[in-house]
Amino acid sequence: MSDEGEEDRQKSFKLLGIIDVQNTPCARDSVLHGAGGSLVAGLGHFLVTSRVKRSFDFGAAGFLLTTLGSWFYCRYSNARLRMQQKVIQDGIKNKVIYEGTSLDPSRKSDEGPG
């Protein structure tokens, strides 16, 4: 059992000693997208201008912007998904509670004039 705990500690990767990238939602994908964004921004700027230091600065800025953009988009999408799941769960719970009673909405629609 202690071997599993040691394996988990070895697998986890902390970015700047703060964020556990493996266990934090969206962190891994955001860092990978940021790495790609930095490569594209830095290499693209270097190919256009041939200025090394300025291209490095563009790469660092590209990493920061791409990582933050990807992080916020992923977190927003996850929050929206959780809200949709909660609405669906509440609807299913209400359907089970009110099914067959006079408060059942599907029953009222069936009793219309006909």
Side-chain angles (χ1 to χ4, degrees):
M1 187 163 194
S2 63
D3 293 336
E4 292 175 8
E6 290 176 15
E7 288 179 17
D8 289 340
R9 276 188 244 132
Q10 290 175 355
K11 288 182 183 177
S12 69
F13 171 72
K14 290 196 175 192
L15 184 65
L16 300 174
I18 300 170
I19 298 174
D20 188 7
V21 176
Q22 290 294 97
N23 297 326
T24 305
C26 301
R28 180 179 178 270
D29 291 338
S30 296
V31 170
L32 290 174
H33 289 140
S38 70
L39 184 67
V40 168
L43 188 60
H45 189 269
F46 178 74
L47 290 175
V48 171
T49 63
S50 296
R51 297 174 65 189
V52 176
K53 184 183 180 325
R54 186 78 168 189
S55 298
F56 178 79
D57 294 341
F58 265 76
F63 175 79
L64 183 67
L65 292 175
T66 308
T67 301
L68 289 176
S70 177
W71 171 274
F72 286 123
Y73 177 76
C74 182
R75 297 295 288 187
Y76 173 76
S77 296
N78 284 348
R80 191 177 70 217
L81 181 65
R82 280 194 308 270
M83 290 297 294
Q84 288 173 348
Q85 288 173 342
K86 181 155 177 50
V87 168
I88 291 170
Q89 285 175 346
D90 289 343
I92 291 172
K93 185 176 78 172
N94 288 338
K95 175 71 174 168
V96 169
I97 290 172
Y98 295 122
E99 188 174 26
T101 66
S102 62
L103 299 174
D104 188 3
S106 62
R107 189 171 177 192
K108 287 182 181 177
S109 63
D110 291 341
E111 293 176 0

